[in-house]
Amino acid sequence: MRVFHRYATVEGRQLFYREAGDADAPAVVLLHGYPTSSFMFRELIPRLADRYHVFAPDHLGFGQSDSPRVEEFDYSFDALARLTAGLLDQIGVDRYAIYVQDYGAPIGWRLALQSSAPVTAIITQNGNGYEAGFVPEFWKPIWAYGDDPNPQTEAALRPALGLDAIIWQYTHGVPDPSVVSPDTWTIDHARLQRPGNDEVQLRLFGDYHTNRELYPRLQEYLRTNQIPLLAVWGRNDEIFHPDGATAFGRDLPNAEIHLWDAGHFLLETNLDAFTELARDFLNRVLHAN
């Protein structure tokens, strides 16, 4: 299945996205996390595109999208979601399922909470929506920086921008790290080295508290709409605890929840099993009629 690599200009910023599949098929939007890009979906996209019209954008400041400095753009999760909504509107995608991971989750939640209710189904892969999902040791310096950005709290976060921390995200909790391609962390780290991108990432770390504040609205949305949801989690993730996956069952009794012996980026280690599960879920909920 051919995958197209495209650009669009939204609010004067160039956004990159990958696209594949029949334009008449149900749309699926894949939203990546930190510190990666739509590159994380490079193998999944053609596996879904025979039945779905698949889109995978790079958030502003990530991947192949523009990365304006913080003096030129006011980075926040609200802003990234607004740009994503603008991109989807520009390319004519008005109703779609979402796959969210890490940073993709708060962006996806904001899309789902739009008054137009464009989201038809949710796949969350280590994409948090509950306080129970936060691993305290990992998040403590992020909360401290958000509460009081100063040289000391910033210094505690800067190692997260380094290569060792990115490798850890890909390999920690993975039974056999040799199955994870070094291309993943090499590409991610290279994009973080763009001039001023460190400040971009710090700005988003500081804004993460707004995602916690969004959770009550998200949970009310889930209870009210009973949207089909598949949660697939690497149970060894020490960023988002598997309790964050099981928590979806509180508001969605029919949520399909799977915990696997994997880490934060399970597409790198469990692609075949995930593809089978995701295709079965999407086929049932999007082709039900």
Side-chain angles (χ1 to χ4, degrees), residues 3-5 16-19 30-46 55-59 62-65 99 101 125 166 170 180-191 265 267-268 271:
V3 178
F4 297 91
H5 304 84
F16 171 83
Y17 64 100
R18 302 170 196 259
E19 178 182 357
L30 313 178
L31 299 172
H32 69 82
Y34 171 87
T36 187
S37 66
S38 61
F39 182 74
M40 70 172 283
F41 301 118
R42 65 199 180 280
E43 302 288 350
L44 181 64
I45 292 170
F55 299 86
D58 287 355
H59 310 315
F62 294 82
Q64 304 298 326
S65 288
Y99 170 133
Q101 194 266 351
Q125 185 259 293
I166 297 171
Y170 277 100
V180 182
S181 171
D183 294 339
T184 56
W185 57 74
T186 302
I187 291 172
D188 290 354
H189 184 252
R191 303 311 286 168
F265 288 108
L267 288 185
E268 300 300 327
L271 177 64

Side-chain angles (χ1 to χ4, degrees), residues 32 34 59-62 70 73-81 103 106-107 139 142-143 145-146 157 192 197-211:
H32 69 82
Y34 171 87
H59 310 315
L60 193 74
F62 294 82
V70 296
F73 186 84
D74 187 13
Y75 284 88
S76 67
F77 285 92
D78 281 348
L80 295 186
Y103 274 14
I107 294 169
W139 289 93
I142 296 175
W143 304 144
Y145 180 72
L157 277 185
L192 291 183
N197 193 266
D198 57 341
E199 297 295 335
V200 170
Q201 303 306 331
L202 288 168
R203 186 67 60 86
L204 291 173
F205 287 158
D207 191 60
Y208 205 93
H209 70 90
T210 64
N211 302 328

Side-chain angles (χ1 to χ4, degrees), residues 220-240:
E220 176 61 27
Y221 162 83
L222 297 176
R223 285 192 297 271
T224 300
N225 291 276
Q226 292 298 301
I227 189 167
L229 181 139
L230 170 67
V232 189
W233 228 261
R235 67 161 62 94
N236 307 324
D237 188 356
E238 292 195 25
I239 300 172
F240 293 119

Side-chain angles (χ1 to χ4, degrees), residues 148-170:
D148 182 15
N150 62 60
Q152 290 73 37
T153 56
E154 178 182 317
L157 277 185
R158 278 196 170 270
L161 306 176
L163 182 59
D164 287 346
I166 297 171
I167 293 173
W168 177 86
Q169 282 192 249
Y170 277 100

